[in-house]
Every structure is written in C-alpha cells, then in structure tokens.
Amino acid sequence: MDLNIALLKGDGIGPEIVDSTVAVLEKIGKKFGHRFTFTPYLAGGCAIDATGEPLPQETVDGCKASDSVLLGAVGGPKWDTLPGHLRPERALLGMRSALGLYTNIRPAKLYSALKAECLLREDIVAKGVDLVMIRELTGGIYFGERGRRQGAMGEEAYDTECYSEKEVERIARVAFETAKKRSKKVTSIDKANVLESSRLWREVMHRVAAEYPEIECTDMLVDNAAMQLIKNPSQFDVVVTSNMFGDILSDESSQITGSIGLLPSASLGDSKCGMYEPIHGSAPDIAGQNKSNPIATVLSGAMMLRYSFDLEEEARAIEAAVDNVLNAGWRTADILGTSTAAPLSCTEMTEKILEQI
Ligand code: IPM
Ligand code: MG
C-alpha cells in the first residue's frame, strides 16, 4: 500500500518520539512492502512561534488530505501564559474537531514484564489489567460555551458541559462494537446523580445497550470509578465516558500499567483518517535530552496501521516487538522502577524495537 501520513511533531519530547515511530513504520514498510510518505506540519507551540497561531490552516488542510495523522505532543511552559484561544492545546482540540474525531480509544494494559512497576498491591496486580477506555472527544465541557462575566460576587468564569443524544449514541455504539470483540462488558461512567448531561448520557446508553443483549452494560459514577480503578482494576474491560472524565481517568489508568510513557491512543471519526498520539504530554522537563520513552508513540503507530489502514498483521508485528523488548528487560528511565541499571535513551530504545521487527 502507498500511504500518506501527516506528522505533527509538536513540542517538548514530541519530535524525538515521532522520529522513533517514523523509523519503526519505515522498517515495517520495508518488511511488509508498503510505502509510507511522511509530511511534517506545524502544530502547538512551535506553530505559535513560527506563525502566531497554534493550528495554522495549512496544517488542518494537510492533515485532512493525508491518510492519517501521527502526533507527538504539544505545549510547554513557554506558552503557558498565552490566552486560552492561543495556547498550544488549542491545536489538539482544533484538530480533533476539524477532523470530526469524536472517538478516543485508549487501551491500558499491564505488561507482565512490568508488573513490578505497577503501584498497586501484589494480589491486585496478579489479577492483571487489560482495559480499553473509550473517551468521547469532541463534545462536553472541553467544547462547550465558556467565558467570563460579572456575577453577584464579582468576576466569574464558566465552562459548559453539554451532550446531545446523537453524540452519546455514536460513542455508545463504538463502545458496544468494541465490547463485541472483547469480553462483552461495558462500563459507562457518568455523574448522573448530579448532572443533567449525565442523566441524558445514561438514558441513551441504556437505549443503545438494549440493541446489544449479548453485552453486559453497567453504569458507574465517576467518583466511584476513580476509586474502583485502584481498588479492583481487573473488573473493567471496555469503559466508555465523556470527554473530561475520560481525560482524567485515562491518566489514572496509565499509572496502574506502570508508566504514562507506555499508553497509545487513536482518535477516530467516521472516515478512515484518524489521529494517533501517546496519551502523555510534551514532558518539558526532559525535552531535548533523548530520555523519553518512545513506546506510547510507537504503539500509537501500531494503532494507526490497525484502525486507519486495516494492516492487522503489521500492527501486531510492532506490538510483538515492544513486548519482546520489555520481556528482555530493556527499560527507559520512566519504567526503571527500583532497578539501578542504566536506562536506555529514546534512540537506544528505538534501536531495540527496530531489532525485533
Ligand atoms: C489528552 C490531553 C489533552 C486533553 C490536552 C493536552 C488538551 O490531556 O489528550 O489527554 O485534555 O485532551
Ligand atoms: Mg489528558
């Protein structure tokens, strides 16, 4: 296959982890006979520096015209004081919205080689963790009306959580379809005891659940879910939730698996063109030092092969290479745990993965 991939390297560790993933995809291309063409575009802080805006139109157009998008990370202290609409994070939200990427798939799995890195008690770890968080990505409070105004107590600020039936229904279907291929269990997370938007969320979930009698669907309140993820994470398989709850709970689930440096994500809409990125951010504290863990981005590349290009065997080849590297004991600094061995750099870890392909 001939495929065009847009690269949004972004800021901080973004460029080094995207470069690792490009190397891995090129090796896969060579092995399986595909030609990947990579075209970089500016997004985030680097785009602000070069053009004055976080998401130039050229980037949106370039990504829309490509077969898929690989993103590193955006943001950093340099741009933290800019007004909201000019912050690097706008690039991410803008891309999700421009490409209609309403589904965010975030698998969190505890590798057996990394059990020692898990912060939970041994008997909980022994039961394993292998869940997929499905986060609604283009609705809710991250996209609702916001602003400042004068209230009874002076200046106030507001953000609005709003969900339409249609938005909930389409993400529900993604969750149930995903569950069909896994252990046929969906946990829908909301705050229906307080929020009207969550009550609608729950109603629609139940309506869609009725179309999938083979799938067991459970509601869980978000505060309880935050607790259950620590107390008994093996109870979860497919988790579906709103934009903000998914943002928070996916970071929490990453800590159960050892490191946020391991977790990939896929953002999808109705077309095959998706955006793939690690769930972690730009890690400004280690930017430019070749210390980052490329695995989350490399695994995002595998998700791209699977979801955008239907290249299942190729995706598995990447996942198996990562498995082998971890099983062989190779570690970057974030997954070193209590070991005193010298950690691999980002480029050394990439080399180890390439050797396994
Ligand atoms: C994520 C990130 C983003 C989000 C930020 C950087 C806008 O935290 O992808 O989880 O909130 O979605
Ligand atoms: Mg987040």
Side-chain angles (χ1 to χ4, degrees):
M1 287 175 95
D2 267 5
L3 296 154
N4 292 313
I5 300 173
L7 299 180
L8 307 181
K9 296 189 182 188
D11 312 311
I13 59 169
E16 65 193 51
I17 53 182
V18 169
D19 288 345
S20 297
T21 307
V22 165
V24 169
L25 290 172
E26 274 175 343
K27 181 105 192 247
I28 288 285
K30 216 175 269 169
K31 183 166 173 180
F32 291 89
H34 305 298
R35 197 169 68 207
F36 300 118
T37 306
F38 300 97
T39 313
Y41 294 96
L42 292 172
C46 58
I48 297 172
D49 289 349
T51 71
E53 45 179 338
L55 185 61
Q57 191 57 41
E58 193 194 337
T59 298
V60 176
D61 295 342
C63 290
K64 276 189 178 167
S66 67
D67 294 307
S68 201
V69 183
L70 180 69
L71 179 132
V74 296
K78 183 174 172 192
W79 307 282
D80 270 351
T81 49
L82 290 171
H85 68 286
L86 285 178
R87 287 183 60 108
E89 288 79 2
R90 287 305 312 163
L92 256 187
L93 298 176
M95 278 299 300
R96 290 168 180 171
S97 163
L99 268 66
L101 307 174
Y102 58 84
T103 298
N104 187 218
I105 304 182
R106 298 189 163 188
K109 146 175 150 184
L110 178 58
Y111 288 87
S112 52
L114 290 178
K115 284 195 167 159
E117 261 56 75
C118 179
L119 302 171
L120 301 178
R121 221 171 50 209
E122 220 173 301
D123 58 312
I124 301 175
V125 174
K127 289 196 226 151
V129 181
D130 183 2
L131 62 87
V132 182
M133 196 159 292
I134 297 187
R135 168 186 176 195
E136 198 292 324
L137 204 60
T138 52
I141 197 164
Y142 289 14
F143 287 88
E145 196 193 320
R146 73 184 90 239
R148 302 257 175 145
R149 63 189 169 205
Q150 286 303 312
M153 296 173 84
E155 163 121 342
E156 57 185 34
Y158 61 96
D159 299 274
T160 323
E161 174 88 349
C162 175
Y163 269 111
S164 65
E165 283 187 300
K166 184 173 173 266
E167 285 172 306
V168 182
E169 189 177 325
R170 66 187 180 184
I171 198 73
R173 284 192 198 287
V174 175
F176 286 100
E177 289 297 327
T178 308
K180 259 186 179 175
K181 295 178 219 139
R182 293 179 50 105
S183 67
K184 304 196 170 42
K185 247 173 76 175
V186 171
T187 310
S188 168
I189 294 173
D190 62 34
K191 186 68 185 171
N193 54 349
V194 178
L195 303 178
E196 197 53 37
S197 52
S198 279
R199 287 191 271 272
L200 177 75
W201 177 281
R202 202 175 267 212
E203 271 169 44
V204 177
M205 277 294 153
H206 290 187
R207 208 183 300 151
V208 177
E211 294 172 31
Y212 294 85
E214 73 278 26
I215 295 186
E216 179 197 329
C217 180
T218 318
D219 303 306
M220 193 179 278
L221 295 173
V222 64
D223 43 355
N224 184 29
M227 183 175 77
Q228 293 297 331
L229 268 170
I230 301 294
K231 197 176 170 201
N232 180 14
S234 67
Q235 73 184 285
F236 296 106
D237 191 61
V238 174
V239 172
V240 61
T241 191
S242 64
N243 204 341
M244 180 161 67
F245 296 160
D247 186 21
I248 299 167
L249 295 176
S250 59
D251 273 30
E252 188 185 348
S253 54
S254 78
Q255 285 310 293
I256 310 172
T257 65
S259 167
I260 198 164
L262 296 168
L263 298 201
S265 83
S267 302
L268 307 167
D270 288 326
S271 87
K272 277 283 183 189
C273 179
M275 186 161 79
Y276 298 83
E277 56 178 301
I279 82 155
H280 61 69
S282 57
D285 53 322
I286 54 163
Q289 299 173 41
N290 195 19
K291 282 185 181 166
S292 64
N293 184 349
I295 290 180
T297 318
V298 167
L299 291 174
S300 302
M303 292 184 88
M304 175 189 292
L305 298 181
R306 171 172 298 123
Y307 291 109
S308 282
F309 307 152
D310 293 316
L311 297 175
E312 180 64 28
E313 194 188 346
E314 289 82 341
R316 286 193 190 194
I318 295 181
E319 288 160 354
V322 168
D323 263 351
N324 292 345
V325 166
L326 292 175
N327 287 336
W330 299 110
R331 301 285 184 268
T332 43
D334 58 311
I335 45 176
L336 213 48
T338 52
S339 157
T340 52
L344 296 187
S345 66
C346 176
T347 43
E348 286 166 339
M349 180 53 105
T350 308
E351 280 307 316
K352 293 293 168 206
I353 298 169
L354 290 172
E355 279 167 22
Q356 295 296 325
I357 293 173

